[in-house]
Amino acid sequence: MSLIFVLAFLVGPPAVLLTVIGPPLRGWPTSEQLRAWLQQPLTEETLTAGLAIGAWLIWLLVAYTVAIRIIIRLRATTAWLRRMPLPTPLQATASGMAGAAVFGVTTNTVTTTPPEPPQPAATGTATFHDDTAPDDYRDQAVREDGVTVTGGWLPRDVAEQVTAAAALIWLRRRRDYQPHPTQPDDTDLTPLPPTVTAVQAALADSPTPPPPDENAAPFEALPAGGVGLTGPGTLPVGRGLLVTAILAGQRHSSTSLIVTQATLALLLGPAAETLGRRLPLTIVDTVDEAAQLLQPAGPVTGEAIPGQRQGGTSSRHGHRKIVLLNDHDGNEQQLKHLAETGTAAAALVVVLGEQPDGPNWHAGSTGYLRDPHHPDMPGPRLCILDWTATTDLLTVIASPGPAPAHPDSGRPPLPYAGSPELPLPRQVARHEPTRLSTASRQRLHLRVLGDPQLLIDGEPLTIRRSAGLQVLVYLAIHPSGADTAQLTDAIWPGLPRHSLTGRLYTALSDLRSTIRTASDLPVIDHSDDRYRLNPAHIEVDLWQLHATIHQAAATLAHTATAWQTVLDAYPADLATTRTWPWLDPHREATRRRVIDLCATLAAKEPDPHRFLQLLQDGIHIDPYNADLHGLAGRALIDLGELEAAVELQQQHQQSLLRVGLDSEFSPRVSFTAPDAGR
């Protein structure tokens, strides 16, 4: 109606004026007409001409306004169309059918498959979200939460297991580190792959979910016995199944994965050869070998099958075996035989392709599965990953080995905290007279060892935004400052930088406003696109720890006093209550500097009892380090405390087992417990 009204207003008045009065201008007036108009201006003819000219001017004004609005709308529509994601064919079909239903168009009854639930817009981000199913599924209240990363989507349970695997990486590095007095080796403190850090960041500040059911077996949503997967999401879902099955095998002792060599190469590409040997799975060459592994006799006897290559998990009796292969691995008869064997052995056979004489489900590009025989039933959503994301995740799941470093994580090692390479700002000592004005006599102290807090005159200041607190801790770790790119990459991994500048400015503005309400001291300086903490206005316990370690390392005598000073300055690990992924390398580097000093002072200590006490203090700081335990065990044996040495070693092994690590490590100093009968 609005369009009809506008068109009528634009077309109607000109038509009436042209019909009744004629064109607005028939030519320029002559001198005689002008003279007559000046002598008698108000005549019927002049009034009619004046009204016609006014009507034409009003019409021109309206036409100009409409033209401007149309141009603005066209520009806005063009910009929107550039950003609008195009609908998939299924979504377009569903939209057309929904429009026909709304307008009451009578159509013949046809059987249609419901569209897949839409996937969130791919922004290259890692976010924790709740995906609500479309209207067709809302009656069944289908809701699946997970983490979206660049190159895929992970269910919440899988994301939690990835985070746990990443934590094991850092625990393994703590176990294997050998303290060195002068030349510490921090080459292993490279950040984890980007996909892993994105998952960690997405779960860092999200609400803690209820503990998962340890008895719940994975892949319960798939048909019993096996299924074939077809559709555009076959390979992404296959990669997700590979990662999910390996994680499930580490979490559930009754699950193991069997995959063919061709399928592994199809899913991982060139990385299949290097990663395959380090993964806890069984690799076979043919479908017949997979069928033999499903036979009851094979797992019981434990006999090796020719051509079988195992990455760490063998098939054992009572295990739920998952077989992953593609439809080109064997002929129709071999696939049928494998399906029958899998059904008899209660195994799950997943074929990436069409399975002969078996259920075949459609795998969408967003990870949703659909059973063609039950189109109205909502299908499950499985993990989907591209090649890069899969390689990143498998890198942290795989056993340690000489794997190449990730191209995006090859950063230089962290500087030694006690070396002159790390600039330590000079801070105003407590006993020195302050240089601040009378109106600003407040003491600001940033505590990052333990629970991060900003203290003003000893009172903690509440920082509302997690990003603001991360900025403070990051600048405390980097006294020389950090630019916008470094801050955004650390706080929001996986997100494009151009979309984060405003978010960083908002966090910094809120942080400065919060500090300004309690103190007028400028805490954060900004110059040359670098942000720094002002050492003249704020004290940082981490800076004081670095200075204390540097002074203690130069101590030639009074090692007990120097060590006690360091212990007092190191009450807890760096930001121990926070799980921000960028913290892990810096937290471990700080801990290593403390135990490095412990080894340095212990080497200078002539008293064997004091030597042992220093090592025990180092073990208290890092209870997982194998080298410190080996040195302490050797010291106990030298003192004749054989039982204490054995007990110390057993406690270390139990500590490693509690966190999921083994004790397969040879420290620099090892010892052998004496025979029990001697």
Side-chain angles (χ1 to χ4, degrees):
M1 293 300 296
S2 300
L3 181 61
I4 292 175
F5 177 78
V6 172
L7 291 176
F9 192 81
L10 291 177
V11 177
V16 173
L17 291 173
L18 290 173
T19 302
V20 177
I21 302 177
L25 294 175
R26 294 188 178 90
W28 294 102
T30 62
S31 57
E32 295 180 358
Q33 291 175 337
L34 289 175
R35 190 181 302 109
W37 177 73
L38 291 174
Q39 292 176 355
Q40 193 176 0
L42 297 178
T43 62
E44 182 180 356
E45 184 178 359
T46 56
L47 289 176
T48 303
L51 291 175
I53 292 174
W56 279 107
L57 290 176
I58 293 175
W59 178 84
L60 287 174
L61 178 62
V62 174
Y64 172 79
T65 304
V66 172
I68 292 299
R69 296 297 302 172
I70 291 175
I71 293 174
I72 294 175
R73 288 290 183 90
L74 287 176
R75 289 179 178 177
T77 303
T78 304
W80 175 73
L81 287 175
R82 291 173 182 174
R83 299 190 301 267
M84 183 186 69
L86 295 177
T88 62
L90 285 176
Q91 291 173 338
T93 304
S95 300
M97 295 176 60
V102 169
F103 287 101
V105 179
T106 303
T107 58
N108 295 329
T109 303
V110 295
T111 303
T112 59
T113 57
E116 298 173 13
Q119 186 183 19
T123 58
T125 179
T127 56
F128 174 71
H129 61 278
D130 248 355
D131 279 338
T132 305
D135 294 337
D136 296 340
Y137 296 157
R138 283 176 185 166
D139 292 338
Q140 291 86 355
V142 178
R143 296 178 64 86
E144 296 178 339
D145 55 343
V147 174
T148 300
V149 297
T150 301
W153 179 87
L154 293 82
R156 177 63 183 257
D157 183 53
V158 177
E160 294 283 353
Q161 295 178 53
V162 170
T163 304
L168 282 179
I169 293 289
W170 291 105
L171 288 173
R172 189 179 297 117
R173 292 176 178 180
R174 291 177 60 179
R175 179 198 65 185
D176 298 345
Y177 177 68
Q178 297 183 3
H180 197 283
T182 57
Q183 297 295 330
D185 183 13
D186 287 343
T187 55
D188 61 333
L189 294 187
T190 53
L192 299 181
T195 305
V196 180
T197 57
V199 173
Q200 290 178 293
L203 299 181
D205 295 317
S206 63
T208 303
D213 184 9
E214 295 293 339
N215 297 322
F219 310 108
E220 288 296 335
L222 298 177
V227 64
L229 299 179
T230 60
T234 300
L235 290 183
V237 170
R239 297 186 187 96
L241 287 173
L242 177 69
V243 173
T244 304
I246 293 175
L247 290 172
Q250 294 183 337
R251 175 178 166 187
H252 304 277
S253 58
S254 60
T255 303
S256 61
L257 175 64
I258 303 172
V259 62
T260 61
Q261 179 69 33
T263 301
L264 195 64
L266 179 66
L267 297 178
L268 301 183
E273 186 65 25
T274 56
L275 277 177
R277 294 190 295 266
R278 300 168 49 211
L279 292 174
L281 50 81
T282 302
I283 305 175
V284 297
D285 288 326
T286 63
V287 176
D288 292 337
E289 292 181 11
Q292 293 179 26
L293 289 177
L294 299 182
Q295 297 291 341
V300 173
T301 59
E303 297 176 356
I305 299 176
Q308 179 180 353
R309 295 179 298 279
Q310 299 188 10
T313 301
S314 61
S315 300
R316 296 186 298 272
H317 182 67
H319 274 208
R320 172 78 184 277
K321 302 180 183 65
I322 301 172
V323 182
L324 188 61
L325 66 155
N326 67 85
D327 54 355
H328 298 294
D329 281 329
N331 55 39
E332 182 176 345
Q333 187 63 33
Q334 290 175 323
L335 294 177
K336 287 182 179 180
H337 174 66
L338 177 63
E340 295 173 356
T341 306
T343 302
L348 177 63
V349 179
V350 179
V351 180
L352 303 181
E354 188 172 353
Q355 182 184 24
D357 295 340
N360 292 285
W361 285 15
H362 180 271
S365 59
T366 57
Y368 283 96
L369 303 184
R370 186 178 65 249
D371 185 1
H373 298 289
H374 301 87
D376 297 331
M377 183 179 297
R381 189 181 189 187
L382 300 184
C383 176
I384 55 171
L385 299 168
D386 64 3
W387 178 83
T388 302
T390 305
T391 306
D392 285 354
L393 297 180
L394 292 180
T395 299
V396 299
I397 299 173
S399 59
H406 194 278
D408 293 339
S409 62
R411 304 179 185 177
L414 300 175
Y416 177 46
S419 68
E421 298 177 1
L422 183 64
L424 298 176
R426 183 179 182 274
Q427 298 207 247
V428 179
R430 293 186 176 92
H431 62 275
E432 293 181 358
T434 178
R435 299 183 178 88
L436 304 179
S437 63
T438 305
S440 304
R441 286 181 179 176
Q442 293 174 307
R443 186 165 58 87
L444 275 67
H445 182 80
L446 179 58
R447 185 174 64 195
V448 297
L449 298 174
D451 184 25
Q453 284 186 339
L454 178 60
L455 305 176
I456 299 181
D457 289 336
E459 295 296 329
L461 181 64
T462 302
I463 299 176
R464 294 184 297 269
R465 294 177 179 268
S466 171
L469 186 59
Q470 291 192 62
V471 168
L472 283 177
V473 179
Y474 193 92
L475 295 180
I477 297 174
H478 301 82
S480 59
D483 56 23
T484 302
Q486 291 172 327
L487 289 173
T488 53
D489 289 348
I491 300 175
W492 298 285
L495 283 169
R497 291 179 180 174
H498 62 81
S499 65
L500 298 175
T501 304
R503 191 180 300 186
L504 177 63
Y505 291 162
T506 301
L508 285 169
S509 176
D510 183 79
L511 176 62
R512 285 169 168 165
S513 176
T514 301
I515 298 176
R516 196 180 301 115
T517 57
S519 171
D520 58 350
L521 297 178
V523 175
I524 301 178
D525 296 335
H526 183 211
S527 61
D528 300 331
D529 193 32
R530 292 189 69 83
Y531 298 90
R532 299 176 181 84
L533 293 180
N534 192 329
H537 297 155
I538 186 171
E539 298 176 353
V540 181
D541 58 353
L542 181 63
W543 298 350
Q544 296 171 355
L545 173 66
H546 289 328
T548 304
I549 292 176
H550 187 77
Q551 295 173 2
T555 302
L556 298 178
H558 306 290
T559 56
T561 304
W563 177 243
Q564 187 60 45
T565 304
V566 173
L567 289 181
D568 294 340
Y570 187 73
D573 290 337
L574 178 63
T576 184
T577 59
R578 303 292 171 168
T579 56
W580 306 320
W582 62 266
L583 265 176
D584 291 325
H586 305 287
R587 180 185 290 137
E588 178 61 20
T590 304
R591 184 189 298 111
R592 288 183 177 184
R593 300 298 78 82
V594 178
I595 63 175
D596 284 342
L597 179 65
C598 175
T600 301
L601 298 180
K604 298 178 181 179
E605 185 59 57
D607 185 359
H609 293 86
R610 182 58 194 165
F611 173 80
L612 177 61
Q613 182 61 46
L614 285 171
L615 294 177
Q616 290 175 339
D617 290 343
I619 291 174
H620 178 73
I621 293 174
D622 192 350
Y624 304 109
N625 187 268
D627 200 63
L628 290 178
H629 281 81
L631 291 171
R634 184 77 259 174
L636 286 171
I637 292 178
D638 292 341
L639 292 173
E641 301 288 343
L642 302 181
E643 295 181 359
V646 174
E647 182 180 358
L648 177 66
Q649 190 71 3
Q650 292 176 349
Q651 290 177 354
H652 182 226
Q653 294 175 356
Q654 293 173 0
S655 298
L656 295 177
L657 291 176
R658 276 195 297 268
V659 297
L661 291 176
D662 53 42
S663 57
E664 295 179 1
F665 176 77
S666 299
R668 285 185 299 163
V669 181
S670 60
F671 67 95
T672 304
D675 186 76
R678 292 174 57 186

